[in-house]
Amino acid sequence: MTFTHVVLYRAMNLGHRGSPVRADLEGALLEGGAAAVRSFQTNGTVLLDVGSGGDDVAGAVARAAAPVLADVCGYAGTALVRSLDDVAAAVEGDPFALTRDGRTYRETVTFVDGGQPLSVALPWTDARDLLDLVAARPGVVLGVARGGPGAGGDPNPAVERFTGGVATTRTLGTVQRLLAAAARA
């Protein structure tokens, strides 16, 4: 099997109220037409094989899985679909090299669908100095969160406010592990 895409669910925590368990999530995507799936971690990140299909097919699989997930557990969140090539390109090299410092809590990769291009000049820092948005390309915004657990900057609201789209964020470490898992499959 060759994973070519990733589905990034917004506000999904496997096994929690309003979210599916792993088997139900994978089953919904298989029922939606995926050739193979592998749920990665518990945050609603799923590797997807759509055979010879491209981005349109991967998006159709996620859309077809949505009513199944709603029936199984009541999940009605958003699924953002990306090719693994696009995800890899977003974090290629060391995109955080110039922004990493001793206050860095997390380096983030925020995926966004819909809306407009980011409406602020980069780098941008929030008023509390807990979040920097440092780079953007279509559908992806890179950020640096500070402040530690529960107190750090959250890129989702900022990206959604500046684009009018829907966003979901993963840490750089999660994205790197996801890409490594896809390469091993």
Side-chain angles (χ1 to χ4, degrees):
M1 99 189 74
T2 302
F3 293 112
T4 57
H5 289 80
V6 62
V7 182
L8 303 139
Y9 286 94
R10 186 175 191 273
M12 180 182 281
N13 292 299
L14 296 185
H16 289 226
R17 189 172 143 202
S19 291
V21 297
R22 185 177 310 273
D24 289 338
L25 174 59
E26 291 177 346
L29 290 162
L30 289 169
E31 188 175 323
V37 299
R38 181 177 299 158
S39 179
F40 182 79
Q41 299 183 331
T42 61
N43 60 3
T45 304
V46 184
L47 289 165
L48 192 65
D49 175 0
V50 293
S52 60
D55 293 348
D56 291 341
V57 172
V61 166
R63 286 189 299 279
V68 176
L69 294 172
D71 287 345
V72 166
C73 65
Y75 179 78
T78 303
L80 288 77
V81 179
R82 295 290 186 276
S83 76
L84 284 173
D85 288 343
D86 285 348
V87 173
V91 298
E92 188 173 36
D94 188 359
F96 298 98
L98 299 177
T99 58
R100 187 179 295 122
D101 63 28
R103 298 180 317 127
T104 299
Y105 171 59
R106 288 190 174 140
E107 296 160 329
T108 63
V109 183
T110 301
F111 301 91
V112 60
D113 275 354
Q116 304 299 316
L118 204 61
S119 64
V120 294
L122 299 178
W124 171 87
T125 301
D126 74 344
R128 299 179 309 148
D129 195 29
L130 294 176
L131 175 66
D132 290 339
L133 301 180
V134 298
R137 58 183 298 194
V140 180
V141 179
L142 303 180
V144 174
R146 297 183 197 87
D154 181 358
N156 277 356
V159 170
E160 289 179 342
R161 185 173 69 246
F162 293 139
T163 65
V166 175
T168 188
T169 299
R170 303 299 186 268
T171 67
L172 175 61
T174 293
V175 170
Q176 290 170 329
R177 288 187 300 277
L178 174 78
L179 294 169
R184 288 190 304 271

